[in-house]
Every structure is written in structure tokens, then in C-alpha cells.
Amino acid sequence: MVLKEKVSLNQLFNLVIGFNLGSSLIIGIGVDAKQDAWITVLCSSIIGIFITLFYYHFHEILPNKNFSEMIEYILNRPISMLITYIYTIYFFYLATRVIRDFGELVTTFILPITPVEICNFSLIVILTYIIYLGMEVLGRVTEVFTPYAILFLIIMTFLLIGDGDIKLERITPILATGITPVLDTIFPYELIRPYGQLFTLTFLFSNLPQQKYVRHTLIYSVISSGFWLTIGTLIITTSLGTSIAIRSNFPLVSASRLINIGDFLQRLDAFAVFIIALGVIIKICIFSFAGLKGLEYIFKIPYRVLVVPTMCILSLYSTFISFDLSDHITESVTVVPYFLSLPLFFLLPSLFMLLAIIKLNFKSQ
């Protein structure tokens, strides 16, 4: 018998915010739209609400089942095991990418002479402990620390304003080259990261109590995360300028380095790193948890048995996933969205939902 861990609605709210902020704040979001980056983030957040509700509606069609159990109901167990295996590998792949994101951030700004392998392994030790304890523990940790991450983002904003680094003319003229650059940036990359990745929550919805309130909680959490992502994008664009923001590998941390109040309060990298670290931990844990639940379904053994060996493999693979930071970012922009995320997060779920509706209608007749 597999025990179901319950996550409260407040914890779900904070988990979604942390998940959406996650690696989006490491590399920056919407910067390819230049001075209209904030419009890109705002529009993608609005569309993200409907994407999230689409995933939850899939769960509503077959309540009390996670994704693997839904596919087994729609098709059969052998096919469901194959599909679950594909998604499991992809979730672990995404987890390793986020691990590498954070490792590159730390070795670039905080520990420049420390090998990225050491940073990745140190993070994995913490993640392994959290995932072994379960989603309830992650939910409680997120519930405590998410408000502090938001507070630090607010403080950083006011410090940049007080230091005179925020210049609103850097986001003008608005839509100078039309709406096309904004649309090109939104589709598909900014919809997939982070809103398409919320598909992983289909492995978590069955763990939620008070199901009738989940829909509203998801809407409010996506709106809130979209708001803070827009604020973060505005901070980056108005402080660094579009040319520097595009060239910077970690724009939010670069923006925090501009703060210099009276030659006393400066180099507040820790503010930005703390904000990012919380989101990274949440994102990796959810990706890893979804993958482990997939293995639990395939092998019919508790996922905690697989936590330690799986996380060790992820730590090793995060080192070999790319040659360097440039190769890592290029792959995440050119390969992952089109060949992996689009079919696995949008096309296949749409097909499965259609099949579920057809099968339920056929059975009701």
C-alpha cells in the first residue's frame, strides 16, 4: 500500500510560486524581446493561467488518479508504463538542467574557483534529504521561506531605485518594432518555461485535499508568480539595459551587483542568490518527485527506496549534460522547447485528454 502525502492549499500556492520563479530568474525571462521583455512576461503569465487550468481539468476528468494512473485507465498498463517511462526520463533530464543552472550560477558569482561538480553534489545532498522526507516537508519549507524570497526581491527593488540604477527610459519606446518580437519570444519558449513545466503537478494533484478550492489556488498562484516574474524582468531591464541584459548569463544577480548605497551597502549578490536558490530547490524537488513517482508506478515499490541512487545519478549526469555554460544555454533554447517540451507538455496531454473524454462518454452511454 502506497501512502499518499497531503499538501495543503497554502503550500500548493507557495510551491507554484517557487516553481515558476525557479530557474526563470537565473537565466532571465523574456529578455529577447528587449525593452518589451516585461510585456512578454505579462502576456505569457496570462496564457499560463489557461495552461495550468488545462492540466488541472485533465485531473478533474479522472479525479484521485495521478498521470500514470490516468493513462492506464485510458489505454492499458503496458502502454501506460512506456509513456510513464518517457516522462520519467524527461523529468529527470529537466531536474539535471536546473541543477546545472544553479551550479553555474554559484561557480560564476559565489565560489569561482570551486568546481561545478562540487557545487552540484552539495546541492544534491540537500535535495536528497528533502525528497526522502516527502512533499509534505517540501511544502512546509516552501510555506516558510517563500515570503522571505518575495521580501528580498522587494528590498532589492527599492535599493536599486534608491541608488538611482532604475531608469524607466530603458523600457521605452514600448512596442517600437511591433508585436511580432513579443510573440516570437512567447511562443513557445516563454510558455514552456515555466508554465508548460507545471505539467509535473499532474503527479501531485491527487495528493491535495479540498479539491473544490484547488482551481482558485492555482489561478491565484500563477497570477502572483507572473506578477513577481514581471517585476523581476522590469528590474533587470531598467537597471542593466537591454543590451547588457541579453548578454548577461545571470541578469538578476548582475542587477543586484549595481547596488551601492554610500559605498557601504553593496555587492548584495546574496539577496538574488537566496531568491533563486529557493525556487531552484522547489523546482528540482518537484521534477525529481514526479520522476520518482513514475518509477514507483512502473516498479510498484515505494519511491523512497529509489531516492538516494536516483539523486546520485542526477548529480553525475548534471556534470556531463553540457560542455560549458554557453552550450548548456544554447541547448535549452534551441533543442528542448521544440523537440521535447512541446510534444510532451502540450501535444500528448491534449491527445490523452481527448481519449479520456471519449472513453468516459462511451462508458456513460
Side-chain angles (χ1 to χ4, degrees):
M1 178 180 177
V2 178
L3 297 177
K4 285 192 174 182
E5 302 169 85
K6 293 297 181 181
V7 177
S8 71
L9 294 179
N10 187 51
Q11 291 168 354
L12 174 66
F13 178 83
N14 288 286
L15 280 170
V16 172
I17 292 177
F19 183 90
N20 285 348
L21 294 181
S23 57
S24 299
L25 286 179
I26 295 184
I27 301 175
I29 184 169
V31 291
D32 288 340
K34 298 183 179 180
Q35 71 268 18
D36 296 321
W38 68 276
I39 299 177
T40 300
V41 176
L42 189 60
C43 292
S44 62
S45 300
I46 295 171
I47 301 173
I49 296 172
F50 297 99
I51 293 173
T52 308
L53 292 179
F54 166 75
Y55 293 147
Y56 184 66
H57 183 62
F58 191 13
H59 168 73
E60 286 182 315
I61 295 174
L62 297 169
N64 301 319
K65 296 179 184 293
N66 63 30
F67 176 74
S68 300
E69 295 164 341
M70 295 177 197
I71 303 305
E72 181 176 345
Y73 174 84
I74 297 169
L75 302 170
N76 54 50
R77 179 166 174 81
I79 296 177
S80 176
M81 288 174 62
L82 175 61
I83 294 171
T84 299
Y85 176 76
I86 293 171
Y87 275 99
T88 295
I89 295 300
Y90 188 47
F91 290 149
F92 287 145
Y93 171 74
L94 291 176
T96 58
R97 294 200 66 83
V98 182
I99 294 169
R100 183 60 180 265
D101 285 340
F102 189 71
E104 293 288 353
L105 171 67
V106 172
T107 54
T108 301
F109 287 99
I110 309 299
L111 303 170
I113 63 173
T114 302
V116 68
E117 295 85 356
I118 300 300
C119 297
N120 291 349
F121 180 76
S122 301
L123 179 63
I124 283 292
V125 171
I126 299 171
L127 296 173
T128 302
Y129 181 66
I130 294 174
I131 295 170
Y132 184 83
L133 293 178
M135 289 302 297
E136 286 188 41
V137 172
L138 176 63
R140 289 195 291 269
V141 170
T142 307
E143 201 172 19
V144 172
F145 285 103
T146 296
Y148 289 104
I150 299 300
L151 176 62
F152 285 174
L153 187 60
I154 294 171
I155 291 173
M156 196 171 76
T157 303
F158 280 109
L159 289 175
L160 285 167
I161 294 173
D163 195 35
D165 295 310
I166 300 292
K167 301 185 186 303
L168 295 179
E169 59 268 20
R170 288 173 174 156
I171 59 172
T172 59
I174 296 175
L175 297 177
T177 55
I179 195 69
T180 302
V182 173
L183 295 177
D184 290 341
T185 307
I186 291 175
F187 300 100
Y189 187 63
E190 300 303 347
L191 288 184
I192 291 169
R193 188 197 64 147
Y195 303 106
Q197 294 173 348
L198 285 173
F199 174 80
T200 52
L201 294 180
T202 56
F203 286 82
L204 186 62
F205 285 145
S206 59
N207 295 47
L208 297 171
Q210 301 172 295
Q211 294 287 340
K212 63 179 180 179
Y213 299 114
V214 172
R215 179 182 292 270
H216 296 91
T217 303
L218 289 171
I219 293 173
Y220 296 144
S221 60
V222 173
I223 291 173
S224 180
S225 61
F227 172 78
W228 292 115
L229 281 173
T230 304
I231 293 297
T233 305
L234 280 171
I235 291 173
I236 291 168
T237 310
T238 56
S239 61
L240 295 177
T242 56
S243 59
I244 298 178
I246 291 174
R247 293 197 305 269
S248 176
N249 292 324
F250 307 105
L252 185 66
V253 181
S254 298
S256 69
R257 286 193 158 191
L258 297 176
I259 298 173
N260 184 2
I261 308 295
D263 291 327
F264 173 73
L265 194 61
Q266 55 184 317
R267 295 296 302 270
L268 300 181
D269 305 32
F271 277 88
V273 173
F274 178 86
I275 296 168
I276 292 169
L278 178 66
V280 163
I281 289 172
I282 295 170
K283 200 158 193 172
I284 298 171
C285 283
I286 292 179
F287 279 143
S288 302
F289 179 78
L292 287 165
K293 293 298 285 185
L295 294 179
E296 181 182 72
Y297 171 79
I298 293 171
F299 298 110
K300 293 187 175 181
I301 57 176
Y303 77 90
R304 284 185 172 87
V305 176
L306 303 168
V307 170
V308 174
T310 299
M311 298 308 290
C312 288
I313 294 172
L314 294 188
S315 176
L316 180 65
Y317 188 66
S318 67
T319 303
F320 299 108
I321 197 170
S322 58
F323 295 107
D324 51 32
L325 180 58
S326 176
D327 177 59
H328 177 66
I329 293 176
T330 301
E331 183 178 331
S332 68
V333 173
T334 58
V335 177
V336 176
Y338 297 97
F339 297 100
L340 295 174
S341 294
L342 271 179
L344 292 178
F345 288 158
F346 294 103
L347 298 181
L348 286 180
S350 300
L351 174 62
F352 294 145
M353 181 182 289
L354 179 61
L355 292 175
I357 293 171
I358 292 173
K359 185 167 185 176
L360 288 172
N361 288 338
F362 180 77
K363 280 194 170 186
S364 63
Q365 293 177 358

